[in-house]
Amino acid sequence: MWRNIFFDRDYPSSEREIIILGSQLSSQRARQFPIQFSDDEKQTAQQTPLFGLLREGVKTLKSTICTNEEELFFIYSLFNARNYLCNNLELLQKDFEVVYQNHIKCYPEIEKLLQQLRSALNISIENELLLKKAFLPFIRSTWANMQLFQPDVIYLLDNDQQELYQTVQHILNQWAADYQTEIHWNENLIRKMTLTLDLLRRNTFDEKVELYIVAPSDFNFLYYRKQLKALLDDHFIISNMIYNTLNEVVDDVFFCSKRIIVCDTALYQPDLGSENTLIFPVSLQTINSTCFEINQVIRPLETEAVTEVGSFKK
């Protein structure tokens, strides 16, 4: 059950332990204090692919972990709030799109909360996708107002993060009041999300630009990489991946920040760039001039300042 066919999800050991702990608590609690969910809450859960997989998966177990159907919904809440992995980036992105649609896109008020957090915390639009991925497990855990019952490790904050936590908590409380929701926020889960939001808030306009090389041979790749490392400034991170076609690396869906693609002219295709992706055609003869062009495009103000100083000295 830990790895399932639903986009090949795989729950890491730390997440499994929390799910197991929650299931054990459920088994003990259900004997004296059975839990109940409303018809609307059940309907919301049943519309997700995850619930259907859990229902079928439980049937295959030799010993049951659910004393009744209500406890199956509680087990769903455990899985629904946990993070998972996938070794296929395309499947992981498709998984994200399905879950985002079910838990956020269908609810304009929750999307508004997401944008309130982004605006109030001044998180760069370049980190929008990462913000959504950080926000999604937090909001999933609010299904059926279950946040207070979610087991997790304890998250601690430093003084600066405490200030951010207070801001996030205020935004959540104000949003809940505006929409008259009855969500009981879990302070530990808010701290957990705060740690990620703090990271995204700090990593904004000074983040390094990713650079990818598309080359027809290992020789061309190594030659381009050698020249790029020697001639580009320290604002760039050069990928170690070797791409042999431009289509492998142009899809903006899988990248959250600005990036550059240096593409051999033999593989270059016009009109494949975008706002976040600049593509430079290059050859063995032009790589040096291309490096200069990249530096100018990415840091035009710095280049102009250097030019002015040089002219003044002359």
Side-chain angles (χ1 to χ4, degrees), residues 78-117:
L78 296 175
F79 277 87
N80 191 46
R82 307 319 315 167
N83 290 313
Y84 47 83
L85 305 173
C86 175
N87 60 10
N88 185 304
L89 186 58
E90 183 177 358
L91 287 177
L92 186 63
Q93 183 59 28
K94 289 180 178 179
D95 185 338
F96 167 76
E97 291 169 359
V98 170
V99 179
Y100 187 86
Q101 174 69 28
N102 287 335
H103 292 275
I104 296 181
K105 196 70 175 177
C106 292
Y107 304 96
E109 66 275 15
I110 296 180
E111 275 207 300
K112 185 172 182 179
L113 172 59
L114 175 65
Q115 295 310 316
Q116 285 178 344
L117 288 169

Side-chain angles (χ1 to χ4, degrees), residues 35-63:
I35 197 168
Q36 291 185 338
F37 296 96
S38 70
D39 291 338
D40 288 342
E41 291 165 346
K42 290 180 181 180
Q43 184 177 7
T44 300
Q46 290 168 341
Q47 291 174 350
T48 65
L50 176 60
F51 182 82
L53 285 167
L54 287 175
R55 182 168 50 194
E56 295 303 314
V58 166
K59 294 178 182 178
T60 66
L61 299 178
K62 294 181 179 179
S63 59

Side-chain angles (χ1 to χ4, degrees), residues 3-10 85-88 91 95:
R3 178 181 287 277
N4 60 55
I5 59 174
F6 184 44
F7 296 118
D8 201 25
R9 288 182 178 181
D10 186 21
L85 305 173
C86 175
N87 60 10
N88 185 304
L91 287 177
D95 185 338

Side-chain angles (χ1 to χ4, degrees), residues 113 116-117 164-177 185 190:
L113 172 59
Q116 285 178 344
L117 288 169
L164 179 60
Y165 167 83
Q166 297 296 333
T167 301
V168 172
Q169 189 178 48
H170 174 74
I171 293 172
L172 293 174
N173 290 335
Q174 185 61 55
W175 175 85
W185 304 112
I190 298 177

Side-chain angles (χ1 to χ4, degrees), residues 241-252:
M241 294 293 294
I242 302 176
Y243 295 94
N244 299 124
T245 67
L246 191 53
N247 287 328
E248 291 180 271
V249 71
V250 293
D251 194 345
D252 276 339

Side-chain angles (χ1 to χ4, degrees), residues 32 52 60 68 77 121 124 126 202 253 255 263 268 281 304:
Q32 295 184 351
T60 66
N68 53 52
S77 77
L121 304 182
S124 168
E126 296 174 353
R202 295 173 186 271
V253 173
F255 298 87
C263 179
Y268 178 72
E304 291 172 7

Side-chain angles (χ1 to χ4, degrees), residues 121-263:
L121 304 182
N122 195 28
I123 295 177
S124 168
I125 191 66
E126 296 174 353
N127 283 331
E128 180 79 7
L129 181 57
L130 289 173
L131 172 62
K132 290 178 179 178
K133 288 182 178 289
F135 180 70
L136 185 54
F138 176 81
I139 210 65
R140 286 203 318 261
S141 67
T142 63
W143 173 80
N145 203 8
M146 290 294 293
Q147 266 208 5
L148 290 180
F149 304 98
Q150 293 295 335
D152 211 326
V153 298
I154 302 300
Y155 294 91
L156 303 177
L157 307 175
D158 61 26
N159 290 335
D160 291 339
Q161 292 163 344
Q162 280 286 355
E163 293 184 12
L164 179 60
Y165 167 83
Q166 297 296 333
T167 301
V168 172
Q169 189 178 48
H170 174 74
I171 293 172
L172 293 174
N173 290 335
Q174 185 61 55
W175 175 85
D178 290 343
Y179 287 95
Q180 298 181 344
T181 68
E182 297 181 356
I183 294 178
H184 300 292
W185 304 112
N186 184 319
E187 294 184 359
N188 187 51
L189 294 184
I190 298 177
R191 289 195 296 269
K192 180 180 181 180
M193 184 173 64
T194 297
L195 289 169
T196 306
L197 295 178
D198 181 56
L199 177 64
L200 297 181
R201 185 183 59 162
R202 295 173 186 271
N203 184 21
T204 53
F205 301 104
D206 291 327
E207 60 188 356
K208 292 183 180 295
V209 178
E210 296 174 306
L211 191 146
Y212 297 83
I213 301 172
V214 179
S217 68
D218 293 348
F219 176 86
N220 288 49
F221 173 84
L222 292 172
Y223 186 83
Y224 293 150
R225 180 175 173 78
K226 178 177 179 295
Q227 297 304 104
L228 290 166
K229 291 186 68 175
L231 299 176
L232 293 182
D233 61 33
D234 59 359
H235 298 298
F236 299 87
I237 298 176
I238 302 175
S239 172
N240 290 323
M241 294 293 294
I242 302 176
Y243 295 94
N244 299 124
T245 67
L246 191 53
N247 287 328
E248 291 180 271
V249 71
V250 293
D251 194 345
D252 276 339
V253 173
F254 304 132
F255 298 87
C256 306
S257 59
K258 292 186 180 297
R259 63 201 174 101
I260 288 176
I261 301 173
V262 172
C263 179

